Amino acid sequence: MHNNDLKEIISSGEICLGVEFGSTRIKAVLTAVGANVIAKSSYNWENKLVDGIFTYDMEEVWTGLRKCYKDIAEYVKEEFNVVITKISSIGFSAMMHGYLVFDKQGDLLVPFRTWRNTITEQAAYLLSQHFNFNIPQRWSIAHLYQSILNKESHVGNIDFLTSLSGYVHWKVTGERVIGIGDASGIFPVDESTLDYNKNMMGQFKEVAENEGFTISLESILPKVLLAGQRGGRLTKEGALLIDPTGMLQEGILVCPPEGDAGTGMVATNSITPKTGNISAGTSIFAMVVLEKNLSKYYSEIDMVTTPAGHPVAMVHCNTCTSDIDAWVRVFYQLAEQINNNVNISDIYNLLYQSALNGKYDCGGLTSINYFSGEPVVKIKEGLPLFIREAENEFNLSNFMRAHIYSSFATVKIGLDMLFNDQEIKLDKLLGHGGLFKIEKIAQQMLASALDTPVEVTDTASEGGAWGMAVLAEYMWHKNENQSLEEYLNEVIFVETKTSVCYPNKEETEGFNSFLKRYIKTLQIENFAVEINN
């Protein structure tokens, strides 16, 4: 698309803005119809461990959002000589789950408790037993019930409970709504009603009242919306929160806020039954869209939904690349001592390339990458480990391969329950996220580890912010009765380029050897893992 065409499109306001609040970066993408990227920006932020709780400074939500929007607006002004005032639609997504509660005045009652916290074991277990449905520790309802069980003083003042995306949406529109995918990580959703599960709400009321909590859950949770529905409009105050210059106009349509799992599914076009995707960044999660619900519940597998409401089995692991990133920083510090002009991206490339020369079984080396607790394997606290025996082949290539293997070892354990126990078959998984930035290296290893082809599209690197821009465009631009699946296939992914890596038998055997050592290290007893020898 030529600059003159884009200038006219931007001037007319026929553009969309997607913003995603990820674990380490806030990202924004401005797109034209067809989700063609015009500009993008990002802002780095990090969670903090405060009094034993992983949290973020909520003011940084707005600092990061404003910085991202400012960068995009300045780029558009410089490149196209246009000042952005109108946008057809906006969408916000964020890391799912966690605990954000507010009183009647709209004040935050306790610091944001993120998905990374593993402090709700009692509540998660009790609710899972009551519901006969897996409630993971990071889910919002587990945090609420744990706060009730702990007799925390704030619970009697709760007027609104939401996710991070729901919070941002509420502040810029005044609407207490949530997309169904994000909602399904707050409280279980009924696939037949496409709303919170009423039976489970009744069960929660009983157990909560036994603990003295009498506030109606229905009154404090955001309203559930589907992709394509309108989530409200930007208020004057909301526009100023995004653009303090006052140039961005109020009244812009805002689509339902979604979680990063949902935007990942959209970004990889894996929202129809028998498709799946794997998102690998700070955390890692695999999503398998089901034709029907599982025959039983597993404490290791979440049941969530696509943005359109299809049931999804989700294996979520708290840590993926954090340990790799930590080791890369160490090597970068060494490289800086040798050459001040070295770029950290070059270090990533060198180390990932070196992994290709490692033995398929990593020469006996083992890495455990847990920066925080890992409920899938019943690990309560983070403790990264690197283990070797004296006779192992300790070299850089084996070292890096072991760390890449470690980044997806736990998700493999969870997926084996679906593939083996539930006999679910997938033609391929679609990968996206930081782990796949360096072409085909981690992608090939993952394909062998899962014994399933892994596909990466040329749009996958755009990530969740782009996926959110797609959802914003779908709400504004779709034809009447056009489903999200149809819109993705007919408008967004018509000319998408893909790269597929297929399992390598010897590499699969090598990974399974690594995984046996991994499981032995964790000392997992009676764990339902089948490893093909």
Side-chain angles (χ1 to χ4, degrees), residues 51-69:
D51 297 328
I53 302 293
F54 286 106
T55 189
Y56 291 86
D57 180 353
M58 298 309 290
E59 185 54 40
E60 200 171 5
V61 168
W62 306 108
T63 301
L65 175 57
R66 285 190 288 266
K67 170 66 164 56
C68 287
Y69 183 80

Side-chain angles (χ1 to χ4, degrees), residues 365-521:
L365 308 184
T366 305
S367 167
I368 307 292
N369 68 331
Y370 300 154
F371 260 53
S372 61
E374 193 53 80
V376 169
V377 288
K378 314 298 189 292
I379 298 297
K380 294 183 179 180
E381 295 180 0
L383 184 64
L385 298 171
F386 174 69
I387 301 153
R388 66 187 178 101
E389 296 181 7
E391 67 272 16
N392 293 155
E393 297 180 60
F394 184 36
N395 57 47
L396 182 62
S397 295
N398 286 338
F399 178 85
M400 282 309 299
R401 182 176 281 268
H403 280 82
I404 294 174
Y405 277 5
S406 179
S407 69
F408 45 72
T410 309
V411 85
K412 157 72 171 175
I413 292 170
L415 282 173
D416 273 355
M417 297 176 195
L418 294 176
F419 296 159
N420 298 339
D421 192 9
Q422 292 288 320
E423 298 182 346
I424 289 172
K425 304 294 182 186
L426 293 176
D427 293 331
K428 62 188 174 185
L429 278 168
L430 292 104
H432 65 107
L435 188 66
F436 304 109
K437 277 187 177 179
I438 299 173
E439 188 175 353
K440 290 191 175 181
I441 296 177
Q443 180 187 357
Q444 175 59 59
M445 294 182 195
L446 181 63
S448 295
L450 301 181
D451 200 21
T452 301
V454 175
E455 178 179 304
V456 174
T457 68
D458 60 356
T459 61
S461 62
E462 301 294 354
W466 182 79
M468 198 65 230
V470 171
L471 288 172
E473 179 184 320
Y474 171 65
M475 174 199 66
W476 157 64
H477 195 253
K478 67 181 173 66
N479 295 327
E480 188 176 1
N481 299 322
Q482 187 177 27
S483 70
L484 178 59
E485 294 93 329
E486 291 169 339
Y487 193 84
L488 294 181
N489 290 324
E490 296 167 6
V491 179
I492 304 299
F493 291 98
V494 177
E495 298 179 355
T496 301
K497 296 177 182 178
T498 64
S499 165
V500 182
C501 287
Y502 296 90
N504 174 304
K505 183 179 178 181
E506 291 182 2
E507 192 170 39
T508 299
E509 292 172 352
F511 176 82
N512 285 339
S513 177
F514 168 87
L515 191 60
K516 286 181 180 179
R517 299 193 306 271
Y518 189 93
I519 293 171
K520 183 179 178 181
T521 303

Side-chain angles (χ1 to χ4, degrees), residues 159-407:
D159 185 64
F160 184 39
L161 185 160
T162 191
S163 66
L164 182 56
S165 77
Y167 162 73
V168 175
H169 185 97
W170 170 48
K171 285 296 185 181
V172 301
T173 66
E175 300 290 342
R176 296 185 176 192
V177 299
I178 197 78
I180 192 168
D182 211 2
S184 66
I186 294 174
F187 191 90
V189 164
D190 185 333
E191 64 176 285
S192 62
T193 64
L194 302 179
D195 202 350
Y196 301 117
N197 188 297
K198 296 298 183 186
N199 290 335
M200 293 182 190
M201 277 199 158
Q203 291 171 311
F204 181 83
K205 179 181 178 182
E206 290 180 12
V207 297
E209 285 181 349
N210 289 338
E211 299 294 333
F213 183 78
T214 58
I215 298 173
S216 164
L217 201 55
E218 290 93 334
S219 70
I220 64 173
L221 293 185
K223 180 182 177 183
V224 178
L225 296 178
L226 299 178
Q229 293 183 293
R230 293 187 174 187
R233 290 183 179 272
L234 200 63
T235 63
K236 182 178 181 180
E237 296 78 12
L240 288 171
L241 279 172
I242 300 170
D243 178 19
T245 69
M247 296 306 297
L248 186 63
Q249 296 177 2
E250 62 183 289
I252 294 169
L253 284 171
V254 186
C255 72
E258 263 299 350
D260 52 0
T263 56
M265 285 186 274
V266 170
T268 54
N269 194 18
S270 50
I271 65 168
T272 56
K274 296 185 74 174
T275 64
N277 81 89
I278 190 158
S279 173
T282 304
S283 64
I284 184 169
F285 49 86
M287 317 283 291
V288 177
V289 187
L290 304 174
E291 295 179 286
K292 60 182 180 180
N293 278 320
L294 303 179
S295 62
K296 64 179 182 179
Y297 92 84
Y298 299 82
S299 62
E300 301 83 5
I301 297 173
D302 304 8
M303 289 301 301
V304 291
T305 77
T306 70
H310 294 305
V312 174
M314 176 183 184
V315 179
H316 182 284
C317 305
N318 285 343
T319 307
C320 180
T321 60
S322 295
D323 200 30
I324 294 175
D325 295 339
W327 280 107
V328 169
R329 286 193 292 271
V330 170
F331 287 113
Y332 176 58
Q333 289 165 11
L334 172 63
E336 278 190 311
Q337 298 295 315
I338 301 169
N339 180 357
N340 285 331
N341 295 322
V342 70
N343 189 302
I344 195 167
S345 63
D346 294 332
I347 304 301
Y348 272 102
N349 276 302
L350 284 169
L351 292 173
Y352 272 67
Q353 290 291 339
S354 74
L356 291 176
N357 298 320
K359 290 197 169 181
Y360 288 146
D361 68 350
C362 307
L365 308 184
T366 305
S367 167
I368 307 292
N369 68 331
Y370 300 154
F371 260 53
S372 61
E374 193 53 80
V376 169
V377 288
K378 314 298 189 292
I379 298 297
K380 294 183 179 180
E381 295 180 0
L383 184 64
L385 298 171
F386 174 69
I387 301 153
R388 66 187 178 101
E389 296 181 7
E391 67 272 16
N392 293 155
E393 297 180 60
F394 184 36
N395 57 47
L396 182 62
S397 295
N398 286 338
F399 178 85
M400 282 309 299
R401 182 176 281 268
H403 280 82
I404 294 174
Y405 277 5
S406 179
S407 69

